[in-house]
Amino acid sequence: MSVVFSELRQKADAEWLSLTAGDRPWVRVGLGTSGEAAGAEEAYDALTEALGSDANVTLVGSMGLCYAEPLIDVQLPGGARVFYANLGADEVADVIGGHIKSGRANADRAFAWHGDERPEGLGAVTRLSELPTVRVQTRLATKLAGDIDPRDLSQYIANGGYSALEKALEDMDPAGVLDEVKNSGLRGRGGAAFPTGVKWGFLAPNPAPVKYILCNCEEGDPGAFNDKGILESCPHTLLEGLILAGYATNSSNGFIFIRQGHSLPIENSRKAVQDAYAAGLLGQNILGSDFSYEVEIALTGDSYVAGEETALMEAIEGKRSMPRYRPPFPAAEGLWGKPSNINNVKTLAYAPTIIQNGADAFKSIGIESTSGTAILCITGAVNRPGMYEIPMGSLTIREVVEEVAGGIKDGKKMKLFQAGGPLFGPIGEEGFDTPIDFDSINQTTGSLGSGGIIIGDEDVCAVNLTRNLMAFNQFESCGKCFPCRLGMTHMVETLERISQNVGREDDLALMERMGASMRMGSLCGHGQLGYNPVASALKYFEADFRSHMDDKKCPTGACGDGQMVTPSRTRP
């Protein structure tokens, strides 16, 4: 271990011991976007006021149990953690304050516990690892989410952070790191599922003195929040992976690209980069080695298409987010004309565990065609929405909904799921028993994409859902390719007619022709995949369309009179 890292680790260990086994209780308040929406900040303010100097009160990341927010836990010195769910600001003084003063947990309000021994007075309260939302998980990229302060570098280091980087710099050369990633079988988690090691291998041999690794956290998919979740809960996991990617490819610079308005990910990432520079983990001669690497944060405006890799580079260069013609490909000529490689947040966040534990350990998780885990964002008509990291191929859609997400709200039936982002449509019961991995879901009309899965119950009209998806896609078209720009607009107009029960008999064939034009005449996937939502909806739910077109009524009543105020953009 290098002298520089040894000193960092000793300092971090001492601070961690003081928090977990010092002379004061430690209270952790989960604050991701879900916690923020549920009132976690107000609960934190109330706690700091009520407890004063009697306890350490810390904002940590979200564990992904969105249904339990605000989620707060208490750890008495040297003891187990006791979690309290859905705890509002008006309750925290009594529940948390009472726990700390008496030294006994409030069994009536406790949600779960975690530790070596069950805390006194908890009765039948479940161990955290035995909750249905936790026991199926294998947390790799999210393993520290909810455990540490995301803005505290020492807490990350005390829990194994940057050990992979130290190992790579001390014991491995760049080619060895690249081989480890190749051998792990890691596939990109942004949607395309291309082998990461192969992709890095395109960039590594290029002798250019300036090369870029770009991390894509645009994440504009409705229903997807796992990239933001990582940056909200443990940004150093991503940053360590970004540095490892730079080392493996002999790159000089890294960028973390985030959509403006995502305040927590932006603030946490900036703090992580700042602290990493101060600790010698970024900049010249990292940890006393010969490797130097610079990282900065880049923001984009509200543009879904900015998530496409060449449009992303345009945005970083200060231009309008529009896709480029290819070739040349980014590995040869990318950002500012320099060789570049673009990776998703989740992809890079796996790199530390691969390097630290070895390719075989990572490959032992998941299935042969797709190793590792899937970080799922389950939302919609379910009882337990959240972000869950499960082994690839270990569960089907139906099993995740019923066993993890607690089934459908109000005892209703699941009618559909929609996965892969807005460029993929609803899938019916025929797809419910599909294993959750890239290749299996690709056998349906959907995609695992970046992990967002939206569940619809029996009250959802597939026509209305498809219209909403296409309205989003139309609004987010960058306008560069006219088949996409005009095709999206005409498709929304056609779906509007059908929703209003005035569809024409040739409307379905008309949309198919529009889709063919968009597929052939668009530069990027936004236009090329633009017909997918309609094609999927027609495959599984043609009856909903026929009800609107033949019976002149919505099959579920969700469309009302068919009128909907849709966002629109007019482009010359």
Side-chain angles (χ1 to χ4, degrees), residues 309-525:
E309 63 177 19
T310 61
L312 180 154
M313 293 186 290
E314 292 284 287
I316 293 177
E317 291 177 8
K319 303 170 187 174
R320 189 172 176 180
S321 300
M322 290 181 164
R324 297 175 179 176
Y325 293 96
R326 288 176 290 186
F329 292 96
E333 186 177 322
L335 185 66
W336 288 301
K338 306 297 183 183
S340 306
N341 204 288
I342 300 92
N343 294 270
N344 175 265
V345 172
K346 296 180 289 295
T347 309
L348 293 170
Y350 286 116
T353 193
I354 291 171
I355 299 305
Q356 185 63 32
N357 301 322
D360 290 342
F362 187 81
K363 206 165 187 177
S364 70
I365 301 167
I367 58 177
E368 184 175 353
S369 64
T370 310
S371 55
T373 59
I375 306 177
L376 306 178
C377 302
I378 308 297
T379 58
V382 293
N383 287 308
R384 295 195 291 256
M387 186 174 83
Y388 307 112
E389 185 173 2
I390 66 169
M392 280 282 186
S394 62
L395 296 171
T396 66
I397 295 288
R398 191 191 305 274
E399 288 168 340
V400 163
V401 170
E402 294 178 355
E403 298 173 19
V404 182
I408 305 299
K409 287 181 179 179
D410 302 321
K412 295 181 179 179
K413 294 181 180 179
M414 180 164 67
K415 177 176 179 178
L416 57 84
F417 73 94
Q418 190 271 328
L423 293 169
F424 294 89
I427 296 172
E429 188 168 4
E430 299 94 317
F432 290 175
D433 294 313
T434 303
I436 297 176
D437 65 82
F438 289 118
D439 299 326
S440 295
I441 293 187
N442 285 347
Q443 297 301 311
T444 68
T445 55
S447 166
L448 181 55
S450 62
I453 300 177
I454 301 171
I455 307 300
D457 64 20
E458 60 200 61
D459 294 335
V460 174
C461 172
V463 177
N464 191 43
L465 174 59
T466 306
R467 175 176 60 162
N468 274 277
L469 293 170
M470 292 306 303
F472 176 92
N473 294 335
Q474 186 273 337
F475 183 76
E476 292 292 350
S477 171
C478 77
K480 182 170 186 174
C481 308
F482 74 85
C484 173
R485 180 179 74 234
L486 299 179
M488 292 286 192
T489 299
H490 293 324
M491 211 169 292
V492 171
E493 290 171 354
T494 306
L495 288 165
E496 283 277 89
R497 282 201 301 271
I498 296 173
S499 297
Q500 294 167 16
N501 304 321
V502 292
R504 305 166 188 163
E505 188 53 42
D506 65 345
D507 276 345
L508 302 185
L510 175 63
M511 288 192 288
E512 186 175 6
R513 292 199 301 275
M514 292 179 200
S517 297
M518 291 162 62
R519 186 165 51 252
M520 291 185 290
S522 302
L523 272 177
C524 80

Side-chain angles (χ1 to χ4, degrees), residues 137-188:
Q137 296 197 57
T138 300
R139 302 211 308 170
L140 302 177
T142 64
K143 64 183 177 182
L144 296 179
D147 291 347
I148 66 171
D149 180 349
R151 301 190 190 188
D152 192 318
L153 171 62
S154 289
Q155 290 187 25
Y156 179 66
I157 291 176
N159 286 274
Y162 289 106
S163 294
L165 176 61
E166 200 272 341
K167 176 183 177 181
L169 296 178
E170 282 286 302
D171 304 329
M172 305 171 73
D173 60 12
V177 174
L178 179 58
D179 286 343
E180 203 71 27
V181 173
K182 283 182 178 178
N183 294 336
S184 73
L186 175 65
R187 296 169 67 179

Side-chain angles (χ1 to χ4, degrees), residues 18-20 24-31 40 43-48 50-61 71-77 80-84 87 92-93 95-101 146-149 155:
S18 174
L19 276 172
T20 57
R24 291 194 297 171
W26 187 15
V27 180
R28 286 175 262 205
V29 181
L31 184 72
Y44 171 79
D45 292 340
L47 270 172
T48 54
L51 298 178
S53 60
D54 292 340
N56 295 306
V57 183
T58 304
L59 286 170
V60 297
L71 185 60
I72 302 171
D73 74 89
V74 178
Q75 183 175 15
L76 300 180
R81 298 169 66 181
V82 178
F83 293 83
Y84 297 93
L87 204 58
V92 293
V95 176
I96 304 299
H99 181 161
I100 290 173
K101 287 178 182 178
D147 291 347
I148 66 171
D149 180 349
Q155 290 187 25

